[in-house]
Amino acid sequence: MTPEYMRSEKKLDYKNKIILSDNLSILTQIDNEIFDLIITSPPYFQQRDYGNGDLGIGNETTETEYLENLLKIFAECVRVLKKTGTIVFNLGDKYINGNLSLIPYKFAIQATQNQNIFLINQIIWSKLNPTPRQDKRKLIQATEPFFIFAKSKDYYFNLDNYLQHLDIFNKSIKSKPSEKLGGKYLELIKNSDLTEEQKRNAIKALNEAILAVHNGEIEGFRMKIHGVHKLAYGGQDGGRNNQIKNNGFTIIKILGNRMKKDIIESPVEITKNNHHPAVYPIYIIQELIKLLTQEGDFVLDPFCGSGTTCIAARNLNRNYLGIEINSDYVNLANNRMQEPEFKQQELFI
Ligand SMILES: C[S@@+](CC[C@H](N)C(=O)[O-])C[C@H]1O[C@@H](n2cnc3c(N)ncnc32)[C@H](O)[C@@H]1O
């Protein structure tokens, strides 16, 4: 039977829906520059048969054919993405005749060559519970990339909202500063070859930094003193090195937030009530949605599977559209949408 959205004369209404279709047929009906974020995990090359026939991605006979099909869909994703938007593709690798094929990277290289888009990060998902393997002559594959592509330099990126619960945790375990804080630097300044005036200024700056730590304004600091510490960046000119050369010292304040690195740890989702074989962790998806969108924004997952992206978007008050070719998974996704909200902080703090 023809689905309702195809029978309707009206324009496709796709906000907060999970649509049963192959993604290209829907994407080609959508206007340019609609979505703020497209986040998805396409089927990996020859990994499993989702039973979707010729329109399903993943079971092409050659890598080239697979990449061509995927890049066609990616091109549509680029078209329907807003200028300030980002696209996140999660792909897994595969051994072919004992050789690691690096397909995710081949995809990323071709995507950035063929499309008007650039790669801003490759986040590595480090799996806490990877699948054990029988092969005793290879290490267990425990990582997968999430590529973040942007359409313009003006892309939305809210670093403060990413992994915010770890910042809160970091601050909550902060211990009282030591009474001896800064004592070592004071000695080094006194015994340094700085001029008397430079020494006075350095001691004043040191005392201000110590006070800021005691007042909880910063978590800590490091000091570099001329003739005592190595220059940064191999001594090349730059803000800090110029300060050391001109003033005799520099102070680097540590604000106390965790460094936001391009690696994220999470177990592989093993959820009862979800029989989809390749679910990605809602924890990672929620963090990326917080990093890359604001409330009310519009998130698309063109390979929606069991609906993880849509659930994450809904939980965070973003609009969503999921497209999935397999009716069994569309039903599963709709059922999961009815379940109580997933509370990530209870799991990770
Ligand atoms: C790796 S799974 C996505 C799983 C999803 N991230 C989750 O957490 O449940 C890829 C999905 O893409 C679907 N699919 C494959 N080809 C498709 C196409 N051309 N259009 C829409 N969906 C497709 C498959 O049926 C499968 O459910």
Side-chain angles (χ1 to χ4, degrees):
M1 198 175 90
T2 321
E4 197 197 337
Y5 67 85
M6 285 189 173
R7 278 183 272 130
S8 161
E9 290 292 298
K10 286 189 296 179
K11 223 172 167 177
L12 177 66
D13 174 16
Y14 40 72
K15 226 169 212 179
N16 298 325
K17 298 226 160 46
I18 296 177
I19 296 179
L20 170 63
S21 171
D22 81 280
N23 43 28
L24 263 187
S25 325
I26 298 298
L27 287 170
T28 46
Q29 296 180 57
I30 296 179
D31 291 341
N32 294 350
E33 299 182 12
I34 295 292
F35 298 98
D36 298 282
L37 169 66
I38 299 171
I39 180 161
T40 198
S41 177
Y44 305 166
F45 178 54
Q46 292 186 350
Q47 189 76 10
R48 41 180 71 86
D49 189 356
Y50 290 99
N52 299 327
D54 283 349
L55 288 174
I57 294 284
N59 285 320
E60 293 81 354
T61 39
T62 63
E63 239 182 64
T64 312
E65 227 184 308
Y66 168 74
L67 287 171
E68 268 172 22
N69 285 342
L70 201 53
L71 285 160
K72 254 184 240 159
I73 296 164
F74 187 76
E76 278 303 297
C77 289
V78 174
R79 186 185 62 74
V80 298
L81 184 73
K82 284 188 189 162
K83 287 235 162 52
T84 48
T86 41
I87 301 180
V88 180
F89 263 51
N90 159 234
L91 284 168
D93 218 329
K94 186 182 174 64
Y95 283 96
I96 299 174
N97 299 328
N99 178 53
L100 192 57
S101 67
L102 299 181
I103 285 198
Y105 300 95
K106 290 175 186 163
F107 165 77
I109 291 167
Q110 292 188 31
T112 45
Q113 273 168 356
N114 303 349
Q115 319 285 339
N116 206 0
I117 200 122
F118 55 98
L119 186 60
I120 56 172
N121 269 125
Q122 175 211 182
I123 299 187
I124 294 296
W125 166 23
S126 163
K127 300 177 186 180
L128 298 173
N129 56 345
T131 315
R133 284 199 188 276
Q134 301 306 324
D135 193 334
K136 295 267 183 292
R137 292 172 54 75
K138 288 192 183 74
L139 301 176
I140 291 170
Q141 266 185 297
T143 60
E144 274 182 27
F146 278 76
F147 297 113
I148 310 184
F149 303 94
K151 199 166 174 174
S152 77
K153 302 275 180 221
D154 204 17
Y155 59 90
Y156 180 84
F157 201 78
N158 189 339
L159 205 52
D160 287 342
N161 279 356
Y162 182 65
L163 297 180
Q164 199 181 25
H165 54 286
L166 297 182
D167 287 338
I168 296 166
F169 177 67
N170 229 26
K171 285 183 178 148
S172 72
I173 56 165
K174 207 165 55 176
S175 53
K176 235 178 123 227
S178 150
E179 289 305 315
K180 292 185 191 151
L181 182 69
K184 186 99 185 285
Y185 287 126
L186 188 59
E187 281 306 302
L188 290 171
I189 295 168
K190 283 182 182 161
N191 298 327
S192 71
D193 57 10
L194 302 191
T195 64
E196 284 312 309
E197 192 192 349
Q198 284 177 329
K199 282 185 185 174
R200 269 197 307 279
N201 291 339
I203 291 170
K204 183 166 174 273
L206 175 63
N207 285 336
E208 283 166 5
I210 294 170
L211 190 66
V213 175
H214 280 283
N215 291 342
E217 291 155 21
I218 57 172
E219 172 147 332
F221 62 89
R222 304 229 193 301
M223 192 163 193
K224 281 186 178 257
I225 302 161
H226 188 267
V228 176
H229 297 107
K230 267 205 285 191
L231 292 179
Y233 315 117
Q236 286 164 27
D237 273 354
R240 294 228 169 266
N241 284 344
N242 290 341
Q243 282 175 21
I244 298 173
K245 280 177 196 156
N246 300 334
N247 308 333
F249 72 95
T250 185
I251 289 192
I252 304 146
K253 291 178 180 158
I254 301 163
L255 296 178
N257 286 347
R258 279 170 73 104
M259 235 192 257
K260 309 276 167 99
K261 299 185 196 159
D262 57 0
I263 178 159
I264 188 161
E265 289 191 317
S266 168
V268 178
E269 279 292 289
I270 309 166
T271 330
K272 61 176 173 34
N273 307 335
N274 189 346
H275 59 270
H276 193 289
V279 180
Y280 56 20
I282 194 162
Y283 166 65
I284 297 182
I285 303 310
Q286 291 199 159
E287 287 310 318
L288 291 173
I289 289 177
K290 285 190 274 179
L291 176 69
L292 300 168
T293 63
Q294 314 180 60
E295 285 201 10
D297 277 358
F298 202 175
V299 179
L300 165 71
D301 185 344
F303 295 96
C304 158
S306 67
T308 310
T309 306
C310 302
I311 298 167
R314 193 268 326 263
N315 286 355
L316 295 166
N317 300 323
R318 274 70 167 171
N319 295 299
Y320 60 86
L321 167 64
I323 311 170
E324 168 57 50
I325 198 172
N326 186 312
S327 61
D328 190 19
Y329 299 142
V330 171
N331 292 337
L332 173 62
N334 282 322
N335 289 339
R336 282 182 82 207
M337 294 293 287
Q338 310 303 320
E339 287 170 12
E341 252 185 52
F342 173 89
K343 292 272 187 284
Q344 63 175 15
Q345 300 210 356
E346 284 165 19
L347 279 177
F348 283 87
I349 285 195

